[in-house]
Amino acid sequence: MTTTQMMKGILDGCLLAIIKDKEVYGYELAEKLEGYGFNSFSEGTIYPLLMRMQKEELVTSTLKKSTAGPKRKYYSLTRKGEQELINFMERWEYLKGNVNRVLNHEAKND
Amino acid sequence: MTTTQMMKGILDGCLLAIIKDKEVYGYELAEKLEGYGFNSFSEGTIYPLLMRMQKEELVTSTLKKSTAGPKRKYYSLTRKGEQELINFMERWEYLKGNVNRVLNHEAKND
DNA sequence: GATTAATACCTTGTAATGCAAGATAATATT
DNA sequence: AATATTATCTTGCATTACAAGGTATTAATC
């Protein structure tokens, strides 16, 4: 029962939300996540996840020159990705509500 | 990116919270979870998880006669389990705060 | 010019865990 | 007897975060 495990199925939604806000490249995402309060995520997590999301046509990428180092791969949301972000937010609200109810021992009434 | 994946590392904390409130048996937990708003969890999920938690000494169990069917295995929290529940609640608040910030594009300021 | 540091990307293999599917057992009902 | 309901357990699979390692490009330092 670790924080790591708690991120499963949640990190991808977070990436979609960040990418929607503004075109970003992979390396940058780790820093962004820290800015939101997360401990930094491994590149071994972020890169495979981005490639998976591209394969699922949730994001597209374009290469652009970097001031230092190899070319940056900038990601943007596709329409499918925008829809998936909406779905994620719904699932997140659902999860949040349920877990909060469990922790407060409040049965759902509807 | 499924709701299933989002439960990883969270369901165990939910079970600890339910068990702390009142001694319960495995079969009962699926119903309780539904009462809190979750779609019912498979027994293939709940039983192995309970056994894992007992192995980690987070819960203890005692068998009691059932009105119909085989004996029920009632679970209670150990002191270690109570501490783990507290840890879980901290991690949950941490996760919730960070994800909410990401979705609202609000940088953490501290 | 050679070395080091920083930036930026990718790959491989491992661990954790929810779940479907199936098995078993005991009591109550038909 | 046969069926339904309650209740538990096991096996194998899919998913995904991550550690550890690798590659490539530019800038700064020696």
Side-chain angles (χ1 to χ4, degrees), chain B residues 1 5 25 27 43 47 51 66 68-70 72-73:
Chain B
M1 189 157 85
Q5 282 297 327
Y25 56 100
Y27 197 81
E43 296 160 18
Y47 288 116
M51 287 185 281
S66 168
R72 294 168 176 167
K73 194 182 270 186

Side-chain angles (χ1 to χ4, degrees), chain B residues 84-98:
Chain B
E84 184 57 31
L85 175 56
I86 291 170
N87 293 343
F88 168 76
M89 289 192 290
E90 279 175 17
R91 287 200 305 278
W92 170 246
E93 288 302 320
Y94 163 83
L95 176 68
K96 201 168 55 173
N98 291 350

Side-chain angles (χ1 to χ4, degrees), chain A residues 6-7 10-11 13-14 17 36 38 88 92 96, chain B residues 93-105:
Chain A
M6 291 174 74
M7 287 309 297
I10 293 177
L11 181 57
C14 290
Y36 289 120
F38 287 110
F88 168 77
W92 170 247
K96 200 166 59 170
Chain B
E93 288 302 320
Y94 163 83
L95 176 68
K96 201 168 55 173
N98 291 350
V99 174
N100 285 340
R101 267 191 297 277
V102 170
L103 294 180
N104 298 320
H105 306 296

Side-chain angles (χ1 to χ4, degrees), chain A residues 6-20:
Chain A
M6 291 174 74
M7 287 309 297
K8 285 188 193 295
I10 293 177
L11 181 57
D12 44 5
C14 290
L15 293 195
L16 289 177
I18 294 173
I19 294 169
K20 179 181 170 62

Side-chain angles (χ1 to χ4, degrees), chain A residues 4-107:
Chain A
T4 284
Q5 283 297 326
M6 291 174 74
M7 287 309 297
K8 285 188 193 295
I10 293 177
L11 181 57
D12 44 5
C14 290
L15 293 195
L16 289 177
I18 294 173
I19 294 169
K20 179 181 170 62
D21 188 46
K22 186 171 157 291
E23 208 185 38
V24 287
Y25 56 98
Y27 196 80
E28 197 181 3
L29 278 167
E31 297 164 13
K32 291 260 187 191
L33 286 167
E34 271 189 83
Y36 289 120
F38 287 110
N39 294 329
S40 77
F41 277 93
S42 164
E43 295 164 18
T45 300
I46 290 174
Y47 289 116
L49 179 50
L50 286 169
M51 288 184 282
R52 212 186 298 150
M53 294 199 301
Q54 185 162 23
K55 199 173 178 182
E56 292 169 7
E57 297 179 334
L58 302 176
V59 297
T60 54
S61 65
T62 55
L63 291 173
K64 295 186 185 177
K65 281 180 194 161
S66 168
T67 52
K71 288 181 178 173
R72 294 167 175 168
K73 194 182 269 184
Y74 281 86
Y75 288 92
S76 307
L77 287 201
T78 62
R79 200 164 302 172
K80 197 176 170 191
E82 286 177 21
Q83 187 55 53
E84 184 56 31
L85 175 57
I86 291 170
N87 293 342
F88 168 77
M89 289 192 291
E90 279 175 18
R91 288 201 305 278
W92 170 247
E93 287 304 320
Y94 164 82
L95 176 68
K96 200 166 59 170
N98 291 350
V99 174
N100 285 339
R101 268 191 295 278
V102 170
L103 294 180
N104 298 320
H105 306 297
E106 295 165 357

